[in-house]
Amino acid sequence: MGLELIIPILAATIQSGTPILYATLGEMLTERSGVLNLGVEGMMIFGAFFAFLVSHYTGSPWLAFACAGILAGLFGLAHAVVCLVFQGNQVVSGLALTILGVGLADFLGTPYVGLSADGFSPFSVPLLSSLPVLGDIFFKQDALVYLSYFLPFLFWFFMNRTKWGLAVGAAGENPAACFAAGLNPVKLRWAGIFFGGVLCGLGGAYLSLAYTHLWTNNMTAGRGWIAVALVIFAFWRPGRAMFGAYLFGGIMAFQLRLQAVGATLPSSLLLMLPYALTIIVLLFSSARGKGRQAPAALGVNIEPGE
Amino acid sequence: MRKLVGIALLAAMVAVAGFGTTVAQAKDLKVGFVYVSPIGDAGYSYAHDLGRQSVAKMDGVKTFYVESVPEGADATRVVNNMARKGDDVIFGTSFGYMDPMLKVAKKFPNTTFMHCSGYKTAPNMSAYFGRMYQARYLAGLVAGSMTKSNIIGYAGAFPIPEVKRGINAFTLGVRAVNPKAKVHVVWTKTWYDPATEKEAAKSLIDIGADVIAQHQDSPGPQEAAQEAGVYSIGYNSDMSAFAPKAHLTSAIWNWSAFYPVVIEKVKKGEWKADNYWWGLSEGVVDLAPFGDMVPKKVQDMVNARKAEIKNGTFKVFAGPIKDQSGKVRIKKGEVASDKMLTGMDWFVEGVEGSNQ
């Protein structure tokens, strides 16, 4: 396999990894604030549908992208109501959010299957795209991919270097101490759920605005679940999330190209790879160590009066 | 709250069903259609629904349809409801409806059942499908004439006989005009997933394919071809709208040539259980109009071959035909039987890729 085939695989890796990267960072933000939200798949497909809908009617992909994020964030607030107002079970509520999101998008989206809408197309970044090898891989993508390059760094900077980020982290580590410091951990968790949902929605929007310019039922096809697994794989750190998302994107891109060059392996075996990798990843990352722990108060509700 | 919504939905459904039955006159023939995907998909179910619309235009016929019905238990329920509601003829358009329909057919001996793409029949149930492979052979002639790299990509849904038969016929067409060309196959294991199907087409373009064909219901592969500046061949219905610069032609279904004929037979009392497998000559399958980039010479050649298939002087699967390993599967002077075609699980010479 020569360079002329490896470069397209790596370029496709970035593209297939991007929706997962957005969603992984979204779930990571929510979990860092102390709330487990298994509704990623639901929020993603919600975002994918509304992105398509808005772009279809307005012809403005950027407006569609923004609306998808905000609407998915608002949709995710259903989880906040259950967990932060009524102290409901976070696992059950998250699952319900996924089922509801997929169902709603299916129900509302059926009339739009097969239509097309404006979206993002690849363009070359001046100068950078003429770099040998790297230019072809990283700088001939679409605007949403370029945006995603900055996200892990922004995420890291926000969580570690800003007052609000540190406060969100505190709500996830020790809500009682956070409260004692004069902050309101419940409000911080509301924010964590909302902005996490926004990022998940943006990941979904990538599928219907850039990856394809089409909408179909169930188009997230399990990518939300991969994102949930990747948060654990990444030990709740944004840099590793980027690595993990591209690892998955790479496997998806690779198996199709392996078939294309005429590999005689059964295709079922190749298609299984990303999912087999999910299990392996979870096995390996379950070995705990320093700097690998989940936020201490992850999944623990804040009881009133605490 | 959920209960209230449930009751409201139920009430609405009863109202709609009741409305449907009161409007239809007593002597009207009621015809139901069950689709596996939404009809708006510009694909497989869309093609069937165009057929339904021509039935709806007939005198004394009322049509009904249910879309996005999953194969299996849900299909049994939907078909059963249609029969109980009094539909006289029920068309089920997906392979996985076969056993559910057979089960319901036994319970309703006076209802006529028509099942698409399967092989089981009953005294009141026919099997039907179209010889799509004939249209795919013609599409192969076009692809073989247009390729410069001699690599043609084919995004396939599932490795089942229906899809493999199409790939084989397509490849025979390609190699009839261009013996050096090869057809590379990528399986997506999806019928309608634009993202995966587009990625599959891109992977084929990456290895040098300059014509992309598909046995997928989404226009994802067409988009990939358009963006990469290579040619494409669509499936189900004319997909030129999705890739105006890339689209050479599409292998298309035309169920309007079949459904009204069946209904006419039922009305006259001439219907009997059968296994229909109509093709180009009856007009059930066809090629979409050629794109401007297809030279007149190629168009004429394809149209001439189409006429020969129509009048029976040319058979697509006429020997000698070798498989991927070079073994002769259909001997010289022989033509593949329908039984061989419906169970086809091997690839002809010239196909690159795994057949499973």
Side-chain angles (χ1 to χ4, degrees):
Chain A
M1 214 183 272
L3 203 61
E4 76 285 353
L5 199 55
I6 290 171
I7 289 174
I9 290 184
L10 293 177
T13 292
I14 304 286
Q15 221 198 2
S16 353
T18 298
I20 305 176
L21 177 59
Y22 275 100
T24 305
L25 291 176
E27 175 64 6
M28 194 176 278
L29 181 66
T30 306
E31 292 196 15
R32 289 281 286 263
S33 78
V35 181
L36 177 71
N37 189 352
L38 297 180
V40 182
E41 180 86 2
M43 294 183 289
M44 268 184 98
I45 196 139
F46 206 75
F49 170 63
F50 280 101
F52 183 84
L53 189 76
V54 173
S55 179
H56 180 71
Y57 283 117
T58 67
S60 163
W62 281 110
L63 180 69
F65 188 61
C67 285
I70 293 167
L71 288 171
L74 291 174
F75 177 62
L77 287 185
H79 188 60
V81 171
V82 174
C83 302
L84 302 180
V85 179
F86 297 110
Q87 277 78 45
N89 184 310
Q90 296 187 4
V91 172
V92 175
S93 166
L95 288 174
L97 198 64
T98 285
I99 296 167
L100 181 66
V102 172
L104 258 183
D106 240 37
F107 176 68
L108 299 172
T110 294
Y112 298 92
V113 174
L115 302 178
S116 54
D118 288 332
F120 297 93
S121 295
F123 65 90
S124 299
V125 179
L127 295 176
L128 286 174
S129 62
S130 48
L131 287 173
V133 185
L134 292 182
D136 287 333
I137 297 171
F138 291 102
F139 300 109
K140 290 183 180 169
Q141 305 276 4
D142 53 77
L144 301 185
V145 171
Y146 298 138
L147 187 64
S148 76
Y149 291 158
F150 297 102
L151 276 183
F153 175 75
L154 288 177
F155 187 100
W156 173 85
F157 186 82
F158 172 74
M159 292 303 290
N160 297 297
R161 292 286 182 274
T162 67
K163 192 179 126 198
W164 287 110
L166 290 167
V168 167
E173 291 294 339
N174 192 339
C178 179
F179 188 70
L183 296 163
N184 184 338
V186 177
K187 277 189 185 161
L188 290 165
R189 286 184 171 192
W190 275 88
I193 293 173
F194 175 74
F195 288 106
V198 169
L199 284 171
C200 293
L202 297 182
Y206 186 80
L207 290 171
S208 58
L209 290 178
Y211 208 81
T212 67
H213 301 160
L214 298 163
W215 155 254
T216 179
N217 295 339
N218 210 4
M219 85 180 297
T220 46
R223 288 176 179 86
W225 291 109
I226 292 177
V228 172
L230 276 181
V231 173
I232 304 168
F233 169 76
F235 304 134
W236 294 269
R237 287 187 292 187
R240 278 184 63 113
M242 196 170 195
F243 171 72
Y246 291 157
L247 186 66
F248 271 90
I251 295 271
M252 286 182 196
F254 176 68
Q255 66 91 1
L256 288 170
R257 279 156 187 85
L258 206 60
Q259 287 195 47
V261 294
T264 47
L265 287 164
S267 55
S268 321
L269 208 67
L270 294 172
L271 285 163
M272 203 180 70
L273 280 177
Y275 306 100
L277 186 73
T278 313
I279 295 172
I280 295 168
V281 153
L282 287 179
L283 265 178
F284 276 96
S285 41
S286 59
R288 297 264 184 260
K290 195 169 156 40
R292 293 178 164 190
Q293 293 95 340
L298 174 61
V300 183
N301 282 329
I302 302 171
E303 298 296 331
E306 203 177 304
Chain B
M1 179 61 195
R2 213 151 89 190
K3 220 173 196 172
L4 272 179
V5 173
I7 291 168
L9 275 178
L10 203 68
M13 265 149 59
V14 169
V16 169
F19 182 69
T21 41
T22 47
V23 168
Q25 291 169 4
K27 61 180 188 318
D28 273 351
L29 192 73
K30 286 190 278 177
V31 185
F33 288 81
V34 189
Y35 306 132
V36 73
S37 49
I39 52 170
D41 65 1
Y44 185 80
S45 294
Y46 171 76
H48 281 289
D49 199 58
L50 290 180
R52 178 193 66 82
Q53 288 171 26
S54 34
V55 170
K57 287 192 196 108
M58 298 169 73
D59 284 336
V61 179
K62 292 267 173 233
T63 65
F64 306 87
Y65 67 88
V66 185
E67 56 186 341
S68 301
V69 177
E71 300 179 327
D74 282 339
T76 313
R77 191 175 46 79
V78 170
V79 175
N80 201 51
N81 279 351
M82 280 187 163
R84 207 168 46 198
K85 194 187 82 193
D87 280 2
D88 303 295
V89 186
I90 298 171
F91 289 90
T93 59
S94 192
F95 181 80
Y97 297 163
M98 181 166 68
D99 289 324
M101 287 182 79
L102 201 63
K103 207 157 79 185
V104 181
K106 285 195 181 121
K107 285 203 302 195
F108 294 91
N110 297 323
T111 307
T112 303
F113 292 83
M114 297 289 300
H115 176 251
C116 182
S117 79
Y119 52 89
K120 292 184 185 169
T121 57
N124 58 333
M125 175 166 149
S126 284
Y128 71 95
F129 208 27
R131 295 180 189 271
M132 182 46 87
Y133 68 87
Q134 296 177 336
R136 290 207 185 272
Y137 177 86
L138 297 177
L141 293 175
V142 180
S145 310
M146 299 299 286
T147 181
K148 295 213 165 54
S149 67
N150 286 341
I151 300 173
I152 292 163
Y154 201 114
F158 287 88
I160 56 172
E162 177 198 342
V163 182
K164 289 183 195 168
R165 186 167 66 236
I167 293 172
N168 284 342
F170 180 80
T171 308
L172 291 174
V174 166
R175 309 247 305 178
V177 291
N178 186 348
K180 278 189 237 147
K182 300 226 160 173
V183 176
H184 287 246
V185 175
V186 168
W187 300 110
T188 60
K189 301 282 169 84
T190 60
W191 288 111
Y192 197 92
D193 176 351
T196 305
E197 290 158 22
K198 185 174 180 182
E199 193 60 41
K202 281 166 71 180
S203 71
L204 289 159
I205 294 165
D206 284 348
I207 59 141
D210 61 355
V211 183
I212 296 295
Q214 65 178 83
H215 194 137
Q216 312 265 205
D217 295 343
S218 96
Q222 304 291 315
E223 268 197 15
Q226 168 96 357
E227 284 169 17
V230 303
Y231 293 130
S232 66
I233 287 173
Y235 171 52
N236 281 320
S237 59
D238 187 337
M239 285 188 165
S240 54
F242 295 96
K245 277 186 264 169
H247 185 261
L248 298 172
T249 182
S250 291
I252 60 172
W253 292 105
N254 177 22
W255 290 109
S256 302
F258 180 66
Y259 288 157
V261 178
V262 174
I263 299 304
E264 205 53 51
K265 279 192 179 175
V266 173
K267 284 175 90 174
K268 288 186 185 151
E270 289 169 0
W271 184 94
K272 60 181 180 10
D274 205 341
N275 196 337
Y276 298 90
W277 208 16
W278 287 12
L280 274 177
S281 15
E282 296 87 358
V284 166
V285 302
D286 207 343
L287 275 191
F290 296 105
D292 295 338
M293 63 296 251
V294 182
K296 178 86 174 34
K297 217 172 78 186
V298 175
Q299 299 191 12
D300 289 345
M301 178 264 294
V302 174
N303 285 331
R305 189 43 63 84
K306 190 202 253 180
E308 285 172 14
I309 294 178
K310 274 186 172 176
N311 66 27
T313 50
F314 180 85
K315 303 275 185 213
V316 172
F317 286 100
I321 294 176
K322 289 184 194 162
D323 68 10
Q324 271 179 313
S325 65
K327 190 176 136 203
V328 177
R329 291 287 190 138
I330 301 166
K331 288 197 205 87
K332 193 168 187 249
E334 282 180 10
V335 174
S337 64
D338 282 357
K339 192 162 172 261
M340 182 183 207
L341 292 180
T342 49
M344 199 164 246
D345 62 350
W346 47 275
F347 274 151
V348 298
E349 198 174 40
V351 180
E352 294 280 310
S354 165
N355 70 353
Q356 48 174 311

